[in-house]
Amino acid sequence: MESAKALVIDEISMISGTLLDKLDYIAKKMRCNNAPWGGIQLIVSGDFFQLPPVHKRRYEKWNWDYDKEFAFEANCWNDSFDMQVELTEVYRQGEPQFIELLQAIRRGFQDTHLLEILNQCCKTLKEPSVEIPRLYPLNKDVRRVNAENLARLGAKIETYKAFDDGVYPWINELKRGMAPNELNLCLGARVMLIKNMDFKEGMVNGEIGKVIKFVKREGDSCELPEVLFDSGIVRVICRETFLVMAGDRALATRKQIPLILAWAVSVHKCQGMTIDRLETDLSKAFGYGMVYVALSRVKSLDGLHLVGLDSCKIEAHPKVSEFYQHYLLNRKF
Ligand SMILES: Nc1ncnc2c1ncn2[C@@H]1O[C@H](COP(=O)(O)OP(=O)(O)OP(=O)(O)O)[C@@H](O)[C@H]1O
């Protein structure tokens, strides 16, 4: 951080105002510079109508600054930027009707006419296809569907247990993280990469593929999965190290194959993705922005297979609506 020129944060809706203020404070201290962000240029992108920050610990509710839920509520927000712009052109979807529908849902409008269109156009798949990802609001449904699909393949299961090192509370950070305690794989399993491994080659967090082989590598006690990613890349996936760091000191480590099963994924995990076809059951949707994030991942109405949409779950956070109204009224650019 001492030598950084710029800090880029994507998906800013998931960063709380409290965290943003802490980061600003750390940057100032580390660089001994009281300018905003210690003089580092800050660039953020995202959409506050999408998923808000996740509060992991119950006690955060009782923190004195819990009310700084959104990044735009941070004390440092206004001083952090010379310029704020709203991007209005939609590229992910092409159909004007679908774009209009999604924009209404994004802003929390429960427009009856638009919802009728959604109901007419969306249907479940008669035969669930393994190639079509399924999105669920709750992790327990994601785990259930993935376990069912794994069992359905009927192939020999290879189990990878995580190798952990470190003590409480740091090790718990890793146990709550993406790398599973125990990963079950078999030939044909749909998997998702959960670590950025090689940006140039496109081996990044979120890549989806299929296990095509198990191979023995020297020095490894068990066979490792070889994955054919949908991008065409084929790779043997070795254990990677997941870390909790304090400066350059590792407080806890977890060694695990950086894959999860991916027939089903959570709505939280899919924020940021673009998917050609998806099936989603939104009957258990909770919180602001979840319905919009799930529906807006898909490129066309034709590719959307939907069940369980209750229009009362289409909600925008009042603070977010107010933020955008205020921005439009005071826009200088
Ligand atoms: N200028 C462009 N021309 C053509 N396609 C584009 C352009 N910009 C983005 N896209 C396509 O639109 C889709 C969404 O882009 P991207 O994920 O960058 O948007 P985003 O604003 O981060 O969306 P979200 O926040 O909803 O995830 C991608 O499939 C991307 O390839």
Side-chain angles (χ1 to χ4, degrees):
M1 194 175 250
E2 277 111 335
S3 60
K5 290 202 169 76
L7 173 64
V8 181
I9 305 176
D10 193 14
E11 303 297 354
I12 189 68
S13 71
M14 299 184 93
I15 300 280
S16 72
T18 308
L19 178 57
L20 203 72
D21 275 335
K22 282 179 185 165
L23 294 173
D24 173 48
Y25 177 84
I26 292 168
K28 283 174 177 155
K29 286 283 164 207
M30 286 189 76
R31 294 165 68 104
C32 304
N33 180 344
N34 255 343
W37 295 86
I40 301 174
Q41 181 186 16
L42 180 69
I43 303 160
V44 306
S45 58
D47 176 9
F48 288 112
F49 281 115
Q50 296 191 21
L51 294 169
V54 176
H55 292 284
K56 280 189 191 151
R57 298 180 191 88
R58 281 179 182 278
Y59 68 74
E60 274 187 37
K61 280 191 181 174
W62 314 111
N63 270 0
W64 64 274
D65 54 2
Y66 177 72
D67 59 340
K68 285 193 280 179
E69 186 178 5
F70 292 100
F72 57 74
E73 295 178 282
N75 295 335
C76 68
W77 180 263
N78 282 333
D79 292 338
S80 297
F81 308 109
D82 296 328
M83 188 161 115
Q84 295 183 48
V85 289
E86 189 178 18
L87 303 177
T88 52
E89 190 76 30
V90 174
Y91 287 98
R92 186 178 280 123
Q93 291 86 18
E95 298 155 272
Q97 191 184 45
F98 192 26
I99 293 173
E100 190 191 349
L101 172 72
L102 288 174
Q103 287 307 311
I105 292 174
R106 175 173 175 261
R107 290 183 179 270
F109 302 147
Q110 297 165 11
D111 184 302
T112 324
H113 166 65
L114 291 173
L115 288 173
E116 269 167 23
I117 298 169
L118 194 58
N119 282 331
Q120 282 164 20
C121 296
C122 303
K123 59 270 157 190
T124 47
L125 289 166
K126 285 191 193 90
E127 288 290 321
S129 161
V130 290
E131 304 304 328
I132 298 182
R134 288 201 250 165
L135 305 189
Y136 292 96
L138 302 182
N139 280 326
K140 68 174 184 187
D141 290 321
V142 171
R143 283 194 291 269
R144 176 181 51 78
V145 170
N146 281 329
E148 283 168 8
N149 276 288
L150 194 72
R152 201 167 291 141
L153 288 177
K156 182 175 170 259
I157 304 282
E158 298 286 342
T159 300
Y160 301 90
K161 288 206 160 85
F163 301 146
D164 291 343
D165 192 16
V167 291
Y168 176 85
W170 316 115
I171 197 68
N172 280 30
E173 291 292 316
L174 290 170
K175 288 183 178 169
R176 277 201 298 263
M178 282 301 291
N181 293 331
E182 191 176 282
L183 174 68
N184 288 324
L185 296 177
C186 72
L187 276 183
R190 286 291 280 172
V191 287
M192 183 191 283
L193 196 62
I194 54 166
K195 202 162 194 248
N196 292 325
M197 292 173 63
D198 190 336
F199 280 104
K200 274 195 196 137
E201 291 206 353
M203 288 284 289
V204 292
N205 187 359
E207 281 299 300
I208 292 181
K210 191 196 240 180
V211 176
I212 52 167
K213 215 195 278 180
F214 286 94
V215 293
K216 187 92 184 105
R217 280 271 175 99
E218 236 184 271
D220 274 300
S221 52
C222 53
E223 294 192 321
L224 297 169
E226 185 169 283
V227 178
L228 165 61
F229 288 95
D230 291 358
S231 60
I233 297 173
V234 177
R235 278 282 177 289
V236 174
I237 308 294
C238 305
R239 279 180 194 267
E240 290 278 321
T241 305
F242 296 81
L243 295 158
V244 176
M245 300 290 291
D248 49 14
R249 195 162 61 95
L251 299 172
T253 59
R254 162 164 283 193
K255 290 197 171 120
Q256 180 55 294
I257 304 281
L259 295 174
I260 54 171
L261 294 174
W263 285 283
V265 288
S266 69
V267 177
H268 274 87
K269 182 66 195 160
C270 80
Q271 176 153 296
M273 287 182 184
T274 299
I275 305 171
D276 288 326
R277 291 181 75 189
L278 67 85
E279 180 170 305
T280 184
D281 178 348
L282 294 176
S283 55
K284 295 178 194 158
F286 62 94
Y288 300 102
M290 186 171 273
V291 171
Y292 171 67
V293 168
L295 299 183
S296 62
R297 300 307 92 200
V298 74
K299 289 179 176 171
S300 65
L301 271 170
D302 191 42
L304 179 62
H305 306 271
L306 169 71
V307 282
L309 179 61
D310 178 350
S311 61
C312 75
K313 303 236 170 112
I314 298 172
E315 271 187 301
H317 197 295
K319 280 186 194 170
V320 172
S321 302
E322 198 186 313
F323 169 78
Y324 282 103
Q325 263 165 16
H326 184 79
Y327 161 79
L328 287 174
L329 288 175
N330 295 287
R331 175 159 64 176
K332 294 185 199 116
F333 303 95

